[in-house]
Amino acid sequence: MLHKNYYMLGHVQRTLSIMLTYQCTAQCQYCGTFSSPNDKNKIDLQTAISAIDQAKELDFGNIVFTGGEATIEWESLVSSIKYAKSKGFPVRLVTNAHWASSDDQANAKIMELKAAGLDEINYSTGNQHIKFIPLSNIYRAISASLSNRLTTVLIIELHKNSLVSKDKVQFEIDRLIDSDLIKRYFKIIESPWMPTNPDKVGEYPSGLLKNKSNIDSCTGCDSVLQTYVLQGDGRISSCCGLGMRMIPELQDSSATREVFLEESIKSSTNDWFKLALKYIGPEKILAWAAEKNKNIVWEDMYAHRCQSCIRIYKDREVRSTIKEHFRELVADLCFSIYLDEKLALISANR
Amino acid sequence: MKSEDLLRFQGNDVLQKLNLMYQDFRDDPKTVESFVDDPTDFIAKRVLLESQPNIIPQAVSRSNKFLFSVLSNERFREWVREYQDELNERFKDPINNNKSLGDILPREEVIKKFVEAMYEHGDKDILYNFVANIDISDKTESEAVVTHDVAVVTAIAVALIVVVTAIDITPRTSHILSNTMLSANDLRSLSEAMIKRVESLKGPDA
């Protein structure tokens, strides 16, 4: 068992994310995991089971299956969900609903997933996804999951010119499905669709790009050191962020090791910079680096925090500036962690 | 990439050392004060545990100092609990069933109440110094902070977008609301926005 000192913030439980495969039925531009039909990397069922066992031993809070498109590995997925559920974990699946090509198919798949123990399903759609999976699949999938009383979250890509909008989808769902089911089980989230290249500026609705006028609203990263990912190629990372696969610093272990999750936690929580990402956040670190080095330009470039993070890790000038000045941040970082711990305790004591 | 090129600052038993320090903070509030006053030596000896002949002077930001003063105040914590309970009751009230979120919980109200409470229960010296140059002749200091300059309210509104957006897309349950209202990140943003904006109102020479 991991020593209790590897937990912080009132022992908030971690999440294990399992990418059964990197393969996907879609090939979206700027896919955050670089998945595609051609990437055949996948892990075997035994590795997924081992990860779940380790997560149980380490007191993780929940299991998420994502990808790639996890449903491509249907047998492994269903078996893994059953196993995770047998260990007492809440289980969530992220999918593009490619399998919902008819009402009957959608319903059969959802019933099997629900019977295996799935607690929540998340669907992804938007300008990129609909090039490969029609919106009608999404509606059928939502209808099936809500009819089966499965908590359902739709995540929509947010672009300046979004072809799929929250209002449009909500209107259609309201027309198709009982309002009580919608109220109890359904939620829509819009998330900026970001280029994985930090030099490219995405097109978003106004107000989303970060600059000095809105940087105060940026918070610490809730992914790093919180979600640990068993990737389709067997690497373990301490973050589930977009583009994570291309950042060597976020790769903390490998499934070839015996206790890979514990190893990953120990390695990542001893990295002061990941603590800074968690408690200060990538946007503010980038803005801080720009104060130290006027050559660093960041304003009005990023709407999604993962793109700011990629910039930090991939831009030579930003990296060297951070390396030079990081010690100046340590005192405030330590105090930030302490204050967040106090806030979490206040919240927990309610 | 060579390992020395990686953007990592690898320590040993970092969380253990931090937890030990925080344990001291909890046991002896004076330890916190000495840390906040001069964190350099403290950090070097207690956390980095290295000899640091050329250690860079380190500081605790004003927003963290302010947040600390607020959080250390039992009256503020009690106010937050009471305000959350009040909001929960409002959401549960059948009279509000068909009202929009904005009608039940105007953002301006949340902002105003939080700022007032943070002012009321935070470190007045820190904040009062910031607002000293603002005309508050016919208002209390907290009213001045809240209402006298649109920039302050606007900045805090930005910080609270997270809060209100989160409420917007979630069911109206007390569980969600309480989590949302007391998010560590949100309060941190609020504190930072507040300090930064009030500082900017003063101007560099004030």
Side-chain angles (χ1 to χ4, degrees), chain A residues 249 267 270 284 319 327 334, chain B residues 5 10-11 22 58 192:
Chain A
E249 288 90 338
S267 168
N270 275 324
K284 284 181 180 163
R319 293 164 61 90
R327 279 187 179 278
C334 289
Chain B
D5 291 334
Q10 211 70 20
Y22 299 152
Q58 300 179 324
E192 286 172 3

Side-chain angles (χ1 to χ4, degrees), chain A residues 279-299:
Chain A
Y279 290 98
I280 296 173
E283 297 96 336
K284 284 181 180 163
I285 292 175
L286 186 56
W288 169 80
E291 283 176 16
K292 304 291 177 189
N293 180 344
K294 300 300 178 196
N295 292 329
I296 297 172
V297 176
W298 65 277
E299 288 193 85

Side-chain angles (χ1 to χ4, degrees), chain B residues 85-101:
Chain B
D85 290 342
E86 180 192 320
L87 292 178
N88 288 336
E89 287 304 313
R90 207 185 300 179
F91 273 78
K92 279 190 252 171
D93 190 338
I95 203 169
N96 287 323
N97 272 354
N98 296 318
K99 289 185 183 172
S100 71
L101 177 83

Side-chain angles (χ1 to χ4, degrees), chain B residues 35-86:
Chain B
F35 170 83
V36 172
D37 287 343
D38 180 17
T40 305
D41 189 51
F42 209 100
I43 291 292
K45 285 180 180 162
R46 299 292 303 276
V47 185
L48 300 177
L49 292 180
E50 302 162 10
S51 69
Q52 300 282 335
N54 298 314
I55 190 164
I56 300 163
Q58 300 179 324
V60 170
S61 64
R62 282 177 153 177
S63 58
N64 266 346
K65 281 184 187 173
F66 180 69
L67 190 56
F68 170 66
S69 79
V70 169
L71 292 176
S72 302
N73 191 305
E74 175 54 32
R75 283 188 305 152
F76 176 76
R77 295 205 295 269
E78 185 57 34
W79 175 84
V80 171
R81 288 183 206 111
E82 286 172 5
Y83 188 51
Q84 285 187 306
D85 290 342
E86 180 192 320

Side-chain angles (χ1 to χ4, degrees), chain A residues 73-90:
Chain A
E73 297 297 320
W74 186 258
E75 299 303 323
S76 282
L77 174 65
V78 172
S79 298
S80 301
I81 291 173
K82 277 182 188 165
Y83 191 73
K85 199 65 192 172
S86 75
K87 293 289 178 180
F89 284 113

